[in-house]
Each structure stands twice: as structure tokens, then as C-alpha cells.
């Protein structure tokens, strides 16, 4: 008889768990000693670790020692308060504890019956978020005759893919799931701005619709979809016998935070029977602040689906995207497959939500816990204050750029995102950004805006303070000398 595999008994877990929680707390309190962007060369991590898995187990202590030795030096520290690149992915203690609880419970909430709490808490917190963001009540679960409602996805990429598949099925009268597009008589066409996130294009590839079905509508100098161009593209396609079926508007573009004219796009969507999806992955969280809300939720009542990422700016650690649907039925009709082994009384009663039908995978984590715990622990007031501070510091940063004759702003500040550049060539700007990031003191990323290289200062970290913002500017101004 061989020994049983080593069990991770509750007592060992308690001890190791305390050590890991201590490790994370220490990491947060000392993260500033690390360069924000990892400095290791490609292949370094692999070179430090054995080529094959160990035959005999090791104590967790030994593993944690290797986290210090190999993993931490090779991290880009997303929770560093001087992380200003991309859009920060903010985390917080209650969210992380919620995720830990989710892992500890280990439930898989594909059906209501496989864990009623997983489903019902999710429906509740998404209804809370509709109200907190001031979104139209149509997105609440009880609206639209009980067919509205939200669902937590992993990312905004999954949300746009789900919306697209629902739109495709709706536009083709529910035939493409069976027959694919081969026998569908018309060419389906869709629209998004040239500055929309790459996930829209990826969704088209995954859904088998192809890049060419997606018209990338030109943007104006502010990075917003040019409405006249959208109208022209629609008219061209209709005249050519195509069937427009989907339009994706962006509220807070990745490059410069541009906000499309959603009310105008919604009007066209209605006129041409297109599904309107709004991607507010980053900016959406700012709708919690009533004074910032109007620009963000404008036109939301005319959309079929609307999404944002609490994992970007709401102190809820990655991954967490909320997708709200005016009418969930087209999505469920598009994605529902019910094999015998999933049949159960609750589903057949028609009185419960089974979130398996609202997403690409079957299985699902209990993500609602981290949303619930964050909202309960901080309260809405603290979340609003957190966002307001970032916007205020971005305004201050914008003022510093304006006051320095060597620099220029690129477009308008959007919430807590400031795009700027040296008055010079792209190469000079690229060099400055690389020098800054190589210092490890701050980390910014870039975008091409109106064809020019621009640095992006995206404020959103949970531990960022005004001083970190000012220090980043000091470092930039110093290197520009
Ligand atoms: N949409 C916008 C506007 C984004 O800025 C991003 C990422 O930064 C995404 C979508 C993709 O987000 P995710 O990683 O959640 O798919």
C-alpha cells in the first residue's frame, strides 16, 4: 500500500494561510521599494526554476521563499502606487478576502441549483450597481417583465463577445446557431469606432463573423466616433444589400478616454434595428459620482447591453466585469444548451436564473462575493471619494503639463486620464517614456493619438496618493531636461 497523497488539512491551511496573508500585507506595505516595471530579461524566471515538476512535495514555506526569490523580482507591480500605465487594476483588502472566500468555498455556480447563494447574491449586487451608477432601471433584474438584469463576466472582452452573439442570433431570426452564416442570405455588418478596444475585433473573429464585417468608423480629433461617418457607412452598406446588426459605442476609450455620442448612436441603432453595446470598461466606475455621471450614462437607456470593469477603478481585484442587459432573452436563446446531466427541478420551474446561459464557459466562480464585500466594507461614499480624488489629481497633473512650455496636452483630459507629450518628435517622446519607466520610479504607457505618440498618465491605483502623482511629474520633468 502506498501512502495517501498529502492532504491539505484545515490546520495546515490555517497556518500556511496566516503566513500568506502576512506576506501579502507586508508586500503592500513595502511595494514601493520595488521598481514599478519589472527589470528582468526574457527567460530569467524559467532559468531560476527546475525544468520539471517535483516528485516529492515541499513545505509551503519553501514555496513562499521562491516567491520572494523568483516571482517578486519578475513582477510589474500593478498595485504599486506609482503604476500609471494602461488602466490600473485596483485591488483592495475586502475584495481579495472575497476572492479568497470564493476559492475556499470552491463552489461552481453554473446553475442556481449548484449554489443558490452564488446566483442570488450576483443578481442582487448587480441590481445595487445599476442604482449606484445611476444606470436606467431597465438593467435591473426585475425590469422588462423580469427579463432585464446583469451578470458578472471575467472581462469586457467576454461581454462584447456575448453581446455580439446575442445580436447575431437576434438579427438572423435564431438561424445562425443551427446553420452558421453559410446559408444566411445577407451580409451582416457591424460598426465601432477606429479607437474602440481590440476586444471588439477579436470578438468578431471568435464569432466567425470576420474582421471585414466590422466597419471601423473614423474618429474625430477628440477620439470620438464620427457620427456623420457612421451614417455614411450605414447608408453605403444598406445600399449594397447588407444587413447592419450591431454597433459598439465606447465610453472612455483606451487611448485617450474619449466618450462616443451614445445618444446619437442609440438613435441610429433603433432606426436600423441594430443591437447597441456600450463598452465603458474603465470610465463606467466614475458614474458612481453624480457629478461625473451624465457624460457616462448618457444614452444608456437606448442600449441593449452596457458593461464596465469594477476591476479597473472600483478597488475590486481582477477579474470582474459587469454586463447589464435590457432584455436577457436574446443572449440566453443564443447560448442556452441544456444537456440531460444539467436538468433540475429549479431550472424547469422557470423561477430561477441559471447564469451558465449568460456567458461563454459553463462553470463560473463566485465573483459576486468580492463585489459584495467591497461595497459593504467601504460603502458607496468611500468609493465615490476614491474616484473623485483621482480625477482631482489628474486635473492638477494636467495643470502641471500645461504650465511647462516643453510639453503639450494631447486632447482633453478624460476623468483621471491625461495624455501629453513633449513638443517634439515621436522618437524624443518614446525615449523619454522609456527612460522614465527604466528608472522604476513610475510606470506610464503610451498611445497613438491623432497619429502622434502620446504618454498616458492613468491615475487609478488603490494606494496612489497625490504625492505619487506629483513625484511622477517631477521625474518626467527632470528627465525632459
Ligand atoms: N474596453 C476598453 C475601453 C478597455 O480600456 C479595455 C482594457 O483596458 C477593454 C475593453 C478590455 O478589457 P478586458 O481586459 O476586461 O477584456
Amino acid at each position: 500500500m502506498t501512502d495517501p497523497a498529502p492532504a491539505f488539512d484545515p490546520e495546515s491551511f490555517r497556518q500556511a494561510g496566516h503566513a500568506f496573508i502576512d506576506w501579502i500585507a507586508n508586500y503592500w506595505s513595502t511595494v514601493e521599494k520595488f521598481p514599478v516595471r519589472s527589470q528582468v530579461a526574457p527567460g530569467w524566471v524559467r532559468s531560476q526554476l527546475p525544468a520539471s515538476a517535483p516528485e516529492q512535495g515541499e513545505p509551503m514555506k519553501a514555496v513562499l521563499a521562491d516567491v520572494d526569490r523568483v516571482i517578486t523580482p519578475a513582477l510589474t507591480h500593478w498595485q504599486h502606487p506609482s503604476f500609471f500605465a494602461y488602466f490600473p487594476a485596483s485591488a483592495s483588502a475586502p475584495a481579495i478576502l472575497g476572492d479568497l472566500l470564493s476559492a475556499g468555498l470552491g463552489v461552481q455556480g453554473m446553475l442556481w441549483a449548484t449554489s443558490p447563494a452564488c446566483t442570488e447574491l450576483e443578481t442582487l449586487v448587480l441590481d445595487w450597481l445599476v442604482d449606484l451608477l445611476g444606470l436606467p432601471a431597465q438593467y435591473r433584474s426585475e425590469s422588462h417583465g423580469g427579463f432585464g438584469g446583469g451578470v458578472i463576466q471575467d472581462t469586457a472582452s467576454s461581454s462584447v463577445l456575448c453581446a455580439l452573439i446575442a445580436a447575431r442570433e437576434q438579427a438572423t431570426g435564431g438561424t445562425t446557431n443551427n446553420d452558421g452564416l453559410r446559408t444566411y442570405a445577407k451580409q451582416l455588418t457591424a460598426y465601432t469606432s477606429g479607437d474602440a478596444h481590440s476586444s471588439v475585433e477579436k470578438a468578431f473573429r471568435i464569432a466567425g463573423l470576420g474582421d471585414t464585417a466590422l466597419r471601423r468608423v473614423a474618429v474625430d480629433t477628440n477620439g470620438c466616433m464620427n457620427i456623420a461617418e457612421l451614417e455614411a457607412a450605414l447608408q453605403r452598406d444598406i445600399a449594397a444589400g447588407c444587413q447592419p446588426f450591431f454597433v459598439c459605442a465606447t465610453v472612455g476609450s483606451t487611448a485617450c478616454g474619449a466618450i462616443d455620442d451614445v445618444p446619437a448612436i442609440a438613435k441610429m441603432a433603433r432606426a436600423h434595428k441594430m443591437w447597441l453595446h456600450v463598452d465603458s470598461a474603465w470610465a463606467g466606475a466614475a458614474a458612481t459620482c453624480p457629478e461625473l455621471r451624465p457624460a457616462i450614462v448618457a444614452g444608456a437607456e437606448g442600449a441593449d447591453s452596457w458593461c464596465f470593469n469594477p476591476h479597473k477603478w472600483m478597488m475590486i481585484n481582477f477579474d470582474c466585469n459587469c454586463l447589464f442587459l435590457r432584455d436577457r432573452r436574446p443572449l440566453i436563446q443564443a447560448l442556452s444548451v441544456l444537456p440531460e446531466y444539467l436538468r433540475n427541478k429549479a431550472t424547469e420551474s422557470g423561477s430561477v436564473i441559471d447564469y451558465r446561459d449568460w456567458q461563454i464557459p459553463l462553470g463560473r466562480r463566485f465573483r459576486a462575493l468580492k463585489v459584495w464585500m467591497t461595497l459593504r466594507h467601504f460603502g458607496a461614499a468611500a468609493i465615490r471619494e476614491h474616484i473623485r480624488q483621482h480625477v482631482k489629481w489628474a486635473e492638477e497633473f494636467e495643470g502641471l503639463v500645461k504650465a511647462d512650455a516643453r510639453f503639450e496636452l494631447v486632447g482633453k483630459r478624460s476623468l483621471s486620464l491625461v495624455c501629453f507629450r513633449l513638443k517634439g518628435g515621436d522618437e524624443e517622446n518614446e525615449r523619454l517614456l522609456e527612460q522614465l519607466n527604466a528608472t522604476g520610479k513610475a510606470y506610464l504607457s503610451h498611445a497613438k493619438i491623432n497619429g502622434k505618440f502620446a504618454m498616458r498618465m492613468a491615475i487609478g491605483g488603490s494606494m496612489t496618493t497625490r504625492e505619487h502623482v506629483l513625484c511622477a511629474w517631477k521625474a518626467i520633468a527632470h528627465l525632459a531636461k
Side-chain angles (χ1 to χ4, degrees), residues 92-157:
S92 70
I96 289 162
L97 293 174
D99 241 1
L100 185 62
L101 195 54
S102 164
L105 297 173
V107 306
Q108 212 272 58
M110 57 194 176
L111 301 165
W112 177 88
T114 60
S115 243
C118 182
T119 296
E120 294 193 16
L121 190 67
E122 184 160 330
T123 309
L124 174 75
V125 294
L126 285 160
D127 283 343
W128 281 6
L129 284 168
V130 169
D131 297 345
L132 275 183
L133 267 60
L135 282 167
Q138 68 191 27
Y139 294 119
R140 289 180 56 96
S141 56
E142 79 280 7
S143 73
H144 214 78
F147 289 109
V151 56
I152 302 180
Q153 307 274 345
D154 51 2
T155 59
S157 303

Side-chain angles (χ1 to χ4, degrees), residues 135-217:
L135 282 167
Q138 68 191 27
Y139 294 119
R140 289 180 56 96
S141 56
E142 79 280 7
S143 73
H144 214 78
F147 289 109
V151 56
I152 302 180
Q153 307 274 345
D154 51 2
T155 59
S157 303
S158 294
S159 274
V160 70
L161 177 58
C162 286
L164 180 63
I165 292 171
R168 184 201 67 198
E169 273 301 282
Q170 183 169 266
T172 60
T175 62
T176 42
N177 266 353
N178 279 330
D179 306 330
L181 282 166
R182 274 174 306 115
T183 54
Y184 192 67
K186 285 192 162 181
Q187 164 71 52
L188 296 175
T189 52
Y191 308 83
T192 199
S193 92
D195 273 10
H197 192 264
S198 56
S199 51
V200 183
E201 206 168 310
K202 196 186 258 186
F204 269 74
R205 294 183 186 185
I206 297 168
L209 289 153
D211 291 346
T212 54
L214 179 63
R215 316 298 197 219
R216 300 301 293 251
V217 180

Side-chain angles (χ1 to χ4, degrees), residues 86-87 154-158 197 199 250-254 279-282 309 311-312 318 321:
Y86 311 105
F87 287 123
D154 51 2
T155 59
S157 303
S158 294
H197 192 264
S199 51
T250 308
V251 170
S253 68
T254 315
D279 173 7
S280 191
W282 162 67
N309 281 354
H311 72 228
K312 280 186 162 52
F318 189 85
N321 168 273

